[in-house]
Amino acid sequence: MATFNLSFRAAHPVSISRKLNEQRYMPTHLNTLNRRPTVVIGSGIVGVSAACALVARGVNVLLLEQFQPGHDLGSSHGESRIIRYSYSDPFYASLMGDAFRAWAKLEADTGVSLYVRTGGLSFGPADSDYVPKIAANLKSLDVPCRLLSAAEVVGNYPGLRVPKDFLTVFEPSAGVLLASKAVKLLLELSTKVAGALFELRPNYSVQSLDMDGEYPVIVGPNQERIEAERVIVAAGGWVKKLLPREASSIEVTRQNVFYLRPENLDAYRPGRWPVIIYKGDDDMDLFYSLPAMSDQGVKLARHGGPVCDPEKVDRDVTEKDWEPVRDYIRKHLPAWNGAEIVSRSTCLYTMTRDEDFRVGPLEKHPRVILASPCSGHGFKFGPLIGRIVADLCETGMSDYNLQRWCPKRNSEQHKASL
Ligand SMILES: Cc1cc2nc3c(=O)[nH]c(=O)nc-3n(C[C@H](O)[C@H](O)[C@H](O)COP(=O)(O)OP(=O)(O)OC[C@H]3O[C@@H](n4cnc5c(N)ncnc54)[C@H](O)[C@@H]3O)c2cc1C
């Protein structure tokens, strides 16, 4: 078990107004109404990051999770997630400095390592603007990067095949976040830092949110009602159940993840093998892979999948699901062709049509904050979103321009290019 540096809490003394909030706390009983200062719904990376940021500022937090924290039915579980500046959308690229710093602070506060620098390659056809846009964004942010010719790519990474007429950009700072380890750490840190200020209720499924009064009311199992001064909805793929109107355009997609053990697995470990993202001509022609972080092997997946109901997801990964990934391997990763498939699993993406996050107070009820850094690229922003949500709770404002993440935004015009 990691040891925590408790100076994390001392840096954020409890304010008098928050102490008043705490005094209003009463233990909950079935079918009675209690008022809690802040309730967070969901213990994925977003919920635990928000809870941790809030308790570090002395706010009393109740965290509700429908399953056991760390479960593998949502979006935040598993060994790894990619972190990178390499976005073709300048807005997300510009946030990455703060996102990296938020992870570094968490590592410094806890002494636990969560980010593994591996370097990252992004490649695609020369007639697409994907790679030029990434390179331009990295350049304007002064993030070191190199454009590589196809021959250089293959020279550096035998096993990877990039056609001559493709473009490739290499970002040395891209890497891997240890996903499940981070979620567990943030939960442990909340408990350790907050003591009695933090309560986690596992296996507590919120049935609905009643937003008719001045304070939102969480309706739980057995019709238990918990009134809250603030509610943070970090429910990932289940958000529509709680906010059917505000999240009406959000869809959940079924994502398949494969772990493979190619021959000579050591050649594909961090230090020798990077994160790789390929984007072709159409939306579904997008694949990514991560180096072997353990003997489980390399991770490989297609970005995109069919719409599904989070309550009834078919978690059997079939040959049909494997086919496009196999074809990608044949084209671009011939060294992995025929590698043993160690595991196949299903994970959920919460998708907006524009692939932008949805984070901010609801127009109808600003005491309710939607926190959904979604669309398959939100993990890397977890601790930063936690801080933004804590700011919104505390002051109603954020240092960031959250226009593109506005919960009521229902636009199809802009598509965040990952
Ligand atoms: C296969 C895959 C690969 C990805 N790769 C990357 C990557 O490389 N880099 C990156 O940055 N991002 C990546 N992402 C995206 C990223 O993982 C997600 O954006 C992020 O995990 C979303 O976290 P969340 O907390 O919003 O949702 P979740 O992790 O799903 O958490 C929501 C939680 O809310 C709980 N909940 C829901 N409803 C209720 C209720 N009514 N009552 C109580 N609890 C409730 C759920 O049980 C769940 O625990 C990937 C996602 C997937 C699926």
Side-chain angles (χ1 to χ4, degrees), residues 41-46 64-67 71 74-76 81-82 204-206 234-236 238 242 257 288 347-349 373 376-380:
I41 304 172
S43 72
I45 186 64
V46 182
L64 304 174
E65 168 54 53
Q66 62 183 344
F67 305 126
H71 67 85
S75 305
S76 300
R81 292 289 184 280
I82 299 171
Y204 188 102
S205 175
V206 176
W238 291 266
L242 301 177
V257 176
Y288 61 88
C347 183
L348 305 181
Y349 274 180
H377 62 119
F379 196 95
K380 63 182 83 60

Side-chain angles (χ1 to χ4, degrees), residues 347-360:
C347 183
L348 305 181
Y349 274 180
T350 308
M351 295 300 293
T352 55
R353 290 191 193 122
D354 51 26
E355 297 193 2
D356 274 320
F357 301 163
R358 292 294 182 272
V359 179

Side-chain angles (χ1 to χ4, degrees), residues 184-253:
K184 185 165 177 271
L185 178 71
L186 282 156
L187 212 45
E188 285 171 355
L189 188 59
S190 302
T191 311
K192 198 118 185 169
V193 165
L197 281 183
F198 177 65
E199 184 190 344
L200 165 69
R201 284 197 208 165
N203 303 315
Y204 188 102
S205 175
V206 176
Q207 299 305 304
S208 60
L209 270 178
D210 175 349
M211 295 189 279
D212 289 340
E214 186 189 349
Y215 293 96
V217 176
I218 288 142
V219 182
N222 304 318
Q223 294 301 307
E224 181 185 20
R225 292 173 73 81
I226 305 171
E227 193 176 67
E229 291 181 17
R230 297 262 181 280
V231 176
I232 292 142
V233 182
W238 291 266
V239 64
K240 240 177 175 161
K241 173 181 164 188
L242 301 177
L243 301 174
R245 205 170 63 100
E246 292 77 2
S248 63
S249 65
I250 288 180
E251 286 184 319
V252 178
T253 61

Side-chain angles (χ1 to χ4, degrees), residues 364-384:
K364 181 182 162 202
H365 211 314
R367 289 181 181 276
V368 179
I369 294 171
L370 172 60
S372 186
C374 49
S375 301
H377 62 119
F379 196 95
K380 63 182 83 60
F381 293 96
L384 179 61

Side-chain angles (χ1 to χ4, degrees), residues 84 253-256 277-279 282-288 301-305 325 349 351 355 374-377 415-416 418:
R84 60 193 152 97
T253 61
R254 176 179 172 273
Q255 299 299 133
N256 302 307
I277 299 178
Y278 160 76
K279 188 171 183 330
D282 71 72
D283 285 352
M284 290 299 284
D285 197 14
L286 183 46
F287 295 83
Y288 61 88
R302 180 193 211 175
H303 175 85
V325 182
Y349 274 180
M351 295 300 293
E355 297 193 2
C374 49
S375 301
H377 62 119
K415 195 159 169 103
L418 308 183

